[in-house]
């Protein structure tokens, strides 16, 4: 079992896909000789050639649009948005085309595309290169939204996203790329059963903590700190944000009676607020012993200076405080 | 048109200021003083200096992710720029913008932009204001060769032409957009020819010849104001450093980089020309010393200045 970083795990998954699916190709900015802005596609050009590793001009609209057209015609595109912020230049092909066509054309076509993008803050890249826009896409029926948090789930979720017959937005937090762990290099699955399944990372009885993407790693840090060693927390990594696996959350909250959600994105109209809203509307409501809480990024664009950036993004200490307040 | 001696010295001074400013940044970066990445324009100084010095203070510019030179050219204070990159209260954006997002409204810089082609449509709007307000000024819109393949480039040129807006589109063609050679990314005859497609008079110039840039921008400005038509300049230049701090430069050869450094460097070339025209080494040395001193004192002052206080950032997000 090789030890891989998240970047390498995704690279392995892409490699496997390209090997097994002759109709698969990758397109994006600087994904060829440069290896991608975060090195994720490193070496793929040498192995698979320019025909399938397609360096594009800086033109996100056509990158996403070509994926839609190619997918409707039996190709299997995976496209990269160099920073997921630039996906806003590709909103029409994703939101008005990819998400709608299957339904709008009465099921006559599928649009199985994967749009990968580097999301999140923490690198001092400032307001236009640090956003967590995942909830925008959760709001659009027809799209699936996936957010890995570690090497193994990055590998598996990408394979499952690839075989899913729907358009999938796959958001990779920049700070997880270098996280390393042993990875089982599973084969390409026959269906996308992993999408829509949350994962319980640690079982506990005192509080349910729901998180996703890199914030899962901050929560892990918080609950494994000595200060909180007495507290038994159940940590759930959502993995897929749309569709949401509410059942796993509701079952857990019914047991622990407390719900804390942690995310990097701002709170308004977000994944976390949806999770809480769903729990409050569910049978688990009556088992809640205190009001659920959402720890989120501030409602502010991301500043560039380090001390201001860490003010906007929830830190391990903020999560620890929230847990202490609740338990 | 001949350039006066004073202007010549000013052009040299500005190129030196931009180069030394960015070399100082590189040094600070390697000492771990800077958070984030940055895009250096070392090698491209002639375009920024020549273009900005041909403008009046009231003319506006829009800038790019590679915008330190544009900002300095338009008269920004290097101290406040260093302070910005260091997250200090005195920085142009109080530490919120950083390298990629400096705006200096007081000197007519509407701001650097982290989105490729993000400023083209903004420049069109600013030019519309000038037209509506009957002002005798232009907007100079800087963008790279990579920007010409974004949809908004085309939307901006089309509208500027249709509405006769006072914009000077200035493409800094440094021949690469990150790793992508512009010849592999731009279909058609040339970047300048894209201006023609929209009925905009367009020229290609040597972007490493500072006087050529200065004169072209001056002439274009006059024509924009007298004919009420936008204009387009493609300035050919070259970036020596990697695209940003994480670039391994695998997409080009060191021979190519060295050719531009040795044979085409805008500062070296201009010094040669000035000496031929009777400006002395002593004149230039005096300028260089003054610039070095400015950089040294600005860096020190910025490092000694207070960090931007942690205010209510949510409130700061709205006007
Ligand atoms: C919309 C958008 N897409 C991609 C990027 C990532 N990116 C930043 S600069 C750059 C290259 C830009 O090339 P060019 O316009 O030629 O400017 P240069 O860097 O050469 O000065 C890329 C791909 C971005 N910032 N914005
Ligand atoms: Mg370029």
């Amino acid at each position: 079992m090789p030890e891989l970083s998240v970047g390498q795990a995704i690279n392995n998954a892409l490699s496997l896909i390209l090997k097994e699916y002759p109709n698969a190709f990758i397109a994006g900015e600087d994904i060829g000789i440069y290896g991608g802005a975060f090195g994720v596609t490193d070496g793929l050009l040498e192995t698979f050639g320019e025909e399938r590793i397609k360096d594009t001009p800086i033109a996100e609209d056509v990158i996403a649009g070509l994926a839609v057209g190619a997918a409707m015609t039996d190709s299997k595109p995976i496209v990269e948005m160099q920073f997921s912020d630039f996906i806003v230049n590709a909103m029409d092909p994703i939101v008005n085309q990819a998400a709608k066509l299957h339904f709008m054309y009465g099921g006559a076509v599928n649009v199985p595309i994967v749009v990968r993008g580097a999301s999140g803050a923490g690198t001092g890249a400032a307001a236009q290169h640090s956003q967590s826009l995942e909830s925008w896409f959760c709001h659009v029926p027809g799209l699936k939204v996936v957010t890995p948090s570690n090497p193994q789930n990055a590998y598996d979720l990408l394979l499952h996203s690839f075989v899913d017959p729907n358009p999938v937005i796959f958001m990779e937090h920049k700070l997880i790329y270098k996280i390393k762990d042993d990875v089982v290099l599973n084969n390409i699955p026959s269906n996308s059963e992993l999408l829509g399944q949350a994962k319980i990372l640690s079982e506990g009885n005192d509080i349910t903590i729901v998180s996703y993407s890199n914030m899962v790693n901050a929560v892990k840090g918080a609950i494994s700190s000595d200060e909180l060693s007495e507290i038994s927390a159940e940590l759930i990594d959502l993995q897929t944000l749309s569709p949401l696996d509410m059942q796993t959350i509701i079952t857990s909250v019914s047991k622990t009676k407390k719900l804390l959600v942690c995310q990097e994105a701002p709170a308004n109209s977000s994944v976390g607020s949806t999770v809480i809203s769903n729990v409050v509307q569910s049978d688990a409501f009556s088992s809640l012993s205190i009001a659920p809480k959402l720890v989120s990024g501030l409602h502010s664009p991301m500043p560039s200076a380090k001390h201001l950036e860490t003010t906007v993004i929830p830190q391990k200490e903020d999560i620890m405080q929230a847990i202490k307040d609740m338990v | 048109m001949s350039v006066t001696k004073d202007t010549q010295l000013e052009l040299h001074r500005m190129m030196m200021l931009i180069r030394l400013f960015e070399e100082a940044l590189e040094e600070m970066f390697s000492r771990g003083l800077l958070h984030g990445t940055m895009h250096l324009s070392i090698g491209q100084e002639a375009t920024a200096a020549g273009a900005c010095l041909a403008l009046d203070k009231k003319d506006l510019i829009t800038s790019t992710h590679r915008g330190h030179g544009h900002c300095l050219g338009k008269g920004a204070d290097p101290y406040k720029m260093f302070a910005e990159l260091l997250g200090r209260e005195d920085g142009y954006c109080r530490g919120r913008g950083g390298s990629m997002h400096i705006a200096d409204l007081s000197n007519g810089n509407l701001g650097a932009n982290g989105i490729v082609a993000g400023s083209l449509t903004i420049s069109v709007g600013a030019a519309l204001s000038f037209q509506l307000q009957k002002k005798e000024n232009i907007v100079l819109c800087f963008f790279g060769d990579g920007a010409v393949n974004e949809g908004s480039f085309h939307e901006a040129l089309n509208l500027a032409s249709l509405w006769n807006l006072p914009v000077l589109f200035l493409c800094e063609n440094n021949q690469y957009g990150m790793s992508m050679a512009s010849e592999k990314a731009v279909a058609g005859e040339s970047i300048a020819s894209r201006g023609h497609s929209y009925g905009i008079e367009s020229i290609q110039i040597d972007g490493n010849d500072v006087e050529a840039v200065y004169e072209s921008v001056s002439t274009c400005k006059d024509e924009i104001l007298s004919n009420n038509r936008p204009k387009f300049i493609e300035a050919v230049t070259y970036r020596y450093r990697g695209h940003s701090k994480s670039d391994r430069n695998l997409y080009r050869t060191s021979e190519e980089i060295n050719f531009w450094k040795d044979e085409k460097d805008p500062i070296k070339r201009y010094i040669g020309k000035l000496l031929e025209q009777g400006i002395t080494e002593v004149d230039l040395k005096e300028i260089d010393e003054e610039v070095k001193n400015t950089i040294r004192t600005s860096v020190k002052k910025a490092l000694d200045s207070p960090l931007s206080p942690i205010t209510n950032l949510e409130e700061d997000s709205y006007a």
Side-chain angles (χ1 to χ4, degrees):
Chain A
M1 199 170 16
E3 188 186 52
L4 300 175
S5 68
V6 167
Q8 292 164 330
I10 296 172
N11 183 287
N12 271 265
L14 292 171
S15 216
L16 180 65
I17 287 167
L18 290 162
K19 250 179 234 141
E20 306 228 336
Y21 280 76
N23 59 344
F25 68 87
I26 307 183
E29 296 159 13
D30 306 290
I31 62 160
I33 182 85
Y34 199 97
F38 295 90
V40 171
T41 53
D42 219 4
L44 297 182
L45 176 67
E46 285 81 347
T47 314
F48 298 101
E50 282 182 359
E51 188 124 309
R52 301 181 70 202
I53 307 298
K54 298 187 120 21
D55 252 337
T56 66
I58 306 168
E60 295 77 14
D61 195 338
V62 73
I63 293 172
L66 76 84
V68 176
M72 290 168 75
T73 49
D74 298 326
S75 294
K76 290 282 285 167
I78 299 177
V79 297
E80 175 171 308
M81 296 285 140
Q82 188 166 83
F83 285 72
S84 67
D85 310 69
F86 313 149
I87 207 168
V88 303
N89 279 0
M91 283 309 252
D92 181 70
I94 293 172
V95 175
N96 286 331
Q97 312 302 335
K100 308 284 192 282
L101 297 187
H102 174 78
F103 178 87
M104 207 164 74
Y105 295 159
V109 296
N110 288 346
V111 186
I113 65 176
V114 179
V115 182
R116 299 179 36 248
S119 67
T123 65
Q128 297 172 333
H129 290 70
S130 301
Q131 295 169 93
S132 297
L133 297 175
E134 53 276 354
S135 73
W136 290 22
F137 301 96
C138 297
H139 197 69
V140 179
L143 299 178
K144 294 194 175 180
V145 183
V146 176
T147 51
S149 60
N150 61 58
Q152 185 69 58
N153 76 1
Y155 179 88
D156 290 329
L157 289 167
L158 185 58
L159 294 184
H160 284 253
S161 298
F162 177 75
V163 299
D164 195 277
N166 298 288
V168 179
I169 309 298
F170 195 88
M171 296 281 199
E172 302 158 9
H173 196 292
K174 295 172 197 77
L175 295 191
I176 69 170
Y177 281 130
K178 298 235 160 78
I179 295 179
K180 284 196 157 185
D181 207 347
D182 292 339
V183 177
V184 183
L185 295 174
N186 293 311
N187 289 328
I188 298 183
S190 57
N191 63 46
S192 59
E193 60 187 352
L194 215 54
L195 301 197
Q197 274 188 43
K199 179 155 177 133
I200 300 178
L201 294 184
S202 66
E203 295 196 13
N205 294 313
D206 296 338
I207 184 169
T208 298
I209 307 177
V210 174
S211 190
Y212 65 91
S213 188
N214 187 45
M215 206 42 64
V216 170
N217 300 306
V219 175
K220 273 193 202 162
I223 61 180
S224 61
S225 67
D226 289 344
E227 220 180 311
L228 298 186
S229 60
E230 304 285 282
I231 295 172
S232 156
E234 183 140 300
L235 171 57
I236 298 176
D237 181 352
L238 288 173
Q239 300 193 124
T240 306
L241 308 183
S242 184
L244 265 177
D245 178 3
M246 283 312 302
Q247 197 47 57
T248 298
I249 299 168
I250 288 167
T251 306
S252 173
V253 172
S254 303
K255 174 178 71 173
T256 64
K257 308 190 182 346
K258 289 177 181 166
L259 172 63
L260 171 66
V261 187
C262 301
Q263 67 185 23
E264 183 172 310
N268 275 1
S269 302
S270 67
V271 173
S273 56
T274 300
V275 167
I276 291 175
S277 156
N278 288 350
V279 166
V280 168
Q281 293 174 71
S282 77
D283 290 344
F285 176 68
S286 55
S287 52
L288 285 171
S289 61
I290 53 167
K293 188 171 172 66
L294 173 57
V295 170
S296 71
L298 295 185
H299 194 69
S300 153
M302 199 56 65
S304 59
K306 188 162 191 169
H307 65 293
L308 300 178
E309 191 184 40
T310 51
T311 305
V312 173
I313 311 166
Q315 303 294 303
K316 186 174 112 180
E317 293 69 30
D318 302 314
I319 299 167
M320 287 170 59
Q321 189 57 49
I323 297 172
K324 282 191 262 179
D325 290 347
M326 291 182 74
V327 179
Chain B
M1 185 172 77
S2 74
V3 176
T4 65
K5 184 179 166 193
D6 280 354
T7 302
Q8 289 186 316
L9 293 178
E10 193 45 33
L11 289 168
H12 171 74
R13 192 189 77 83
M14 186 53 72
M15 289 198 290
M16 285 301 291
L17 182 69
I18 298 170
R19 171 108 13 133
L20 295 185
F21 178 88
E22 292 200 325
E23 286 179 352
L25 282 185
E26 275 190 308
E27 211 253 335
M28 289 157 85
F29 189 91
S30 63
R31 285 166 59 200
L33 295 173
L34 298 172
H35 182 50
T37 190
M38 58 192 179
H39 306 87
L40 300 173
S41 63
I42 294 176
Q44 304 181 201
E45 295 87 350
T47 309
C52 291
L53 293 183
L55 300 177
D56 293 341
K57 191 163 176 174
K58 291 210 167 120
D59 293 321
L60 295 173
I61 64 164
T62 61
S63 171
T64 68
H65 57 286
R66 204 175 300 288
H68 303 143
H70 311 147
C71 195
L72 289 164
K74 210 59 177 78
D77 178 352
Y79 160 65
K80 293 180 71 172
M81 292 175 68
F82 284 125
E84 181 55 33
L85 276 115
L86 288 163
R88 311 294 159 136
E89 179 64 357
D90 279 353
Y92 272 107
C93 317
R94 304 173 61 220
R96 285 145 177 75
S99 161
M100 222 182 341
H101 305 298
I102 301 181
D104 173 17
L105 280 300
S106 63
N107 283 305
N109 177 359
L110 286 179
N113 205 308
I115 299 300
V116 169
S119 71
L120 275 123
T121 51
I122 295 175
S123 73
V124 166
L128 176 61
S129 281
F130 279 163
Q131 187 186 61
L132 294 172
Q133 295 159 7
K134 308 207 174 359
K135 294 214 172 115
E136 291 287 298
N137 287 102
I138 68 162
V139 182
L140 188 152
C141 172
F142 285 108
F143 53 95
D145 49 286
V148 307
N149 303 311
E150 289 276 18
S152 56
F153 167 87
H154 297 271
E155 298 185 25
L157 261 66
N158 187 51
L159 204 68
S161 180
L162 275 175
W163 290 1
N164 299 311
L165 297 174
V167 196
L168 174 52
F169 294 104
L170 197 159
C171 178
E172 290 177 279
N173 178 5
N174 62 7
Q175 306 174 54
Y176 292 90
M178 211 157 150
S179 67
M180 177 60 101
S182 61
E183 56 192 35
K184 286 193 198 167
V186 183
E189 195 183 306
S190 67
I191 289 175
S193 74
R194 294 200 170 176
H196 296 141
S197 317
Y198 295 99
I200 298 175
E201 234 177 82
S202 309
I203 50 171
Q204 191 189 62
I205 62 171
D206 178 351
N208 278 14
D209 176 343
V210 73
E211 278 189 21
V213 177
Y214 178 85
E215 291 182 346
S216 308
V217 171
S218 303
T219 310
C220 281
K221 178 181 166 178
D222 290 346
E223 289 174 4
I224 288 169
L225 292 176
S226 53
N227 307 338
N228 293 319
R229 293 289 301 154
K231 289 258 179 181
F232 190 111
I233 295 175
E234 174 193 353
V236 179
T237 179
Y238 196 79
R239 116 175 106 68
Y240 300 164
R241 299 298 191 264
H243 165 72
S244 65
K245 285 317 235 173
S246 54
D247 187 345
R248 295 172 292 172
N249 270 320
L250 295 176
Y251 50 86
R252 54 182 183 170
T253 61
S254 49
E255 287 76 34
E256 181 184 296
I257 301 173
N258 288 334
F259 168 75
W260 281 85
K261 276 189 189 168
D262 297 342
E263 309 290 326
K264 313 271 264 179
D265 183 73
I267 297 180
K268 252 196 250 171
R269 274 169 67 188
Y270 201 45
I271 291 173
K273 174 166 175 172
L274 293 181
L275 292 177
E276 266 172 32
Q277 294 189 356
I279 286 173
T280 66
E281 305 235 7
V282 178
D283 293 334
L284 296 178
K285 183 130 202 263
E286 197 180 315
I287 293 175
D288 295 355
E289 283 308 316
E290 178 231 303
V291 170
K292 271 186 208 157
N293 199 34
T294 303
I295 295 294
R296 204 178 309 123
T297 51
S298 303
V299 168
K300 179 159 184 343
K301 191 172 159 199
L303 284 169
D304 289 344
S305 71
L307 279 177
S308 188
I310 298 174
T311 53
N312 185 329
L313 295 168
E314 297 195 329
E315 268 178 20
D316 294 354
S317 304
Y318 293 92

